[in-house]
Amino acid sequence: MATMGSLHPYGQLIRSARTGITYVPRRTLTYTPIRRAEQDPNTPKDKPETEQKGGALSSIKSFFGFGKKSEAKPTVRRQTAPHKREGELGAGSIFAEDEAGPKLMASGRTPSSRKQAGAPAEGEAEEWTLEKRNKQHMLAVLDPRPQARIRWERKMVVRELRSRGRLSKTEKIMRSERESLSKSHWFKTSIKKLGPLARQISGKNIDEAITQMQFSKKKAAKDVLEHLKHAKNVAIVRAGMGLGAVEAGEDAPKPKPTKIILKDGERKTITDPTSIYIAQAWVNRGPYGRDYDHRARGVINMMRPPYTSLSVLLKEEKTLIRECQDREARELRKRKANLWVHLPDRPITQQNQYYSW
């Protein structure tokens, strides 16, 4: 018991002096803002200090040497953030040139108003317009090999004269039919896994391919789905594909359905020749990544996951109609070339019952 009393010799005196105050435990897991103790400059120094009478607790503290100090206590001044200005589009905008207050831009160039046309001031560089530029210096970049350019132009003129202004079959197709090639980013999958998806959507309508990828259980089908949506948007915006019904209008008569036979023998009915389909879809091999496989006993195996991409070539279904007609014409020419007639089909003349010898 003596040992326990020696630990807190003055605990009983303090508790007896503060009979009306209950003990409040210290709270934890709280955040207290940091405050700096400084002398308040706004407080006048010549203000007389009034002495306050201490209670029983203060008298006990002063008895044991923990009394009030003679110097004044520092005051706590709460620092507040400066007033933030709001931007506007009027004359008081932060981007105005004659701004008196501080600007809210951290660093870099600040926009200024347009200067008046006239002679440049001293120390400022003169602005060079297109007419004042040196064309000889520009030709070094725009036309670095003039002789090669002249030879190419001569070659194109000769080719045009030899063809007599007639377009080749390839040129006619490129001018009359539209197509769009789109390559995706790298997917974290292998060619063996992405190849079946490419073969699945090849030759199908773009909307049908998107529907199949939405319900596919393959992990890479989500990436293929996003790429097909992007490729369709690019084909519509950049190449103007799939807009036949929109350009014709609602009052225009609908085109007559066309029945064709595909290359594999499948029969198909085309209602809109301008609808988009996937002509080709192939997989590209990409780089190999680097991954770690943590095993037992501190062993780490190095894995090289492959990356692949998907490329799709989109065309309009009028191309299918043209290809079907070309195949039929080719087969007809072959049948006619292999046709054999045992006798020529011509009239018989100058017949005689006796021989001519």
Side-chain angles (χ1 to χ4, degrees), residues 343-356:
L343 289 177
D345 188 9
R346 62 188 181 188
I348 300 175
T349 58
Q350 299 179 359
Q351 292 186 3
N352 194 355
Q353 58 181 343
Y354 302 103
Y355 292 102
S356 59

Side-chain angles (χ1 to χ4, degrees), residues 213-271:
M213 291 298 103
Q214 287 177 349
F215 295 96
S216 178
K217 296 182 180 180
K218 300 289 185 180
K219 183 179 179 180
K222 296 182 180 179
D223 297 330
V224 176
L225 173 63
E226 296 299 328
H227 176 58
L228 289 180
K229 292 180 180 179
H230 172 72
K232 180 182 178 181
N233 296 336
V234 170
I236 294 174
V237 174
R238 295 185 180 179
M241 301 169 59
L243 300 177
V246 178
E247 294 176 353
E250 299 179 356
D251 301 335
K254 295 183 179 180
K256 187 177 180 179
T258 306
K259 296 182 179 180
I260 63 173
I261 300 176
L262 300 178
K263 191 175 182 180
D264 56 355
E266 180 184 357
R267 297 180 181 271
K268 184 178 182 180
T269 303
I270 297 177
T271 57

Side-chain angles (χ1 to χ4, degrees), residues 72-87:
K73 292 184 179 180
T75 59
V76 178
R77 183 172 59 87
R78 190 170 186 177
Q79 295 183 355
T80 58
H83 180 65
K84 185 181 293 186
R85 300 183 55 194
E86 296 182 358

Side-chain angles (χ1 to χ4, degrees), residues 272-306:
D272 185 10
T274 60
S275 58
I276 305 173
Y277 81 102
I278 303 175
Q280 299 179 28
W282 64 90
V283 181
N284 309 305
R285 184 183 294 276
Y288 286 87
R290 186 182 297 271
D291 205 349
Y292 303 97
D293 183 18
H294 298 271
R295 306 304 298 269
R297 299 176 181 270
V299 178
I300 300 177
N301 297 337
M302 185 68 64
M303 297 189 301
R304 302 298 302 278

Side-chain angles (χ1 to χ4, degrees), residues 101-119:
K103 297 186 177 181
L104 300 181
M105 302 183 65
S107 61
R109 295 184 176 181
T110 57
S112 58
S113 60
R114 188 174 297 177
K115 298 181 180 180
Q116 299 292 336

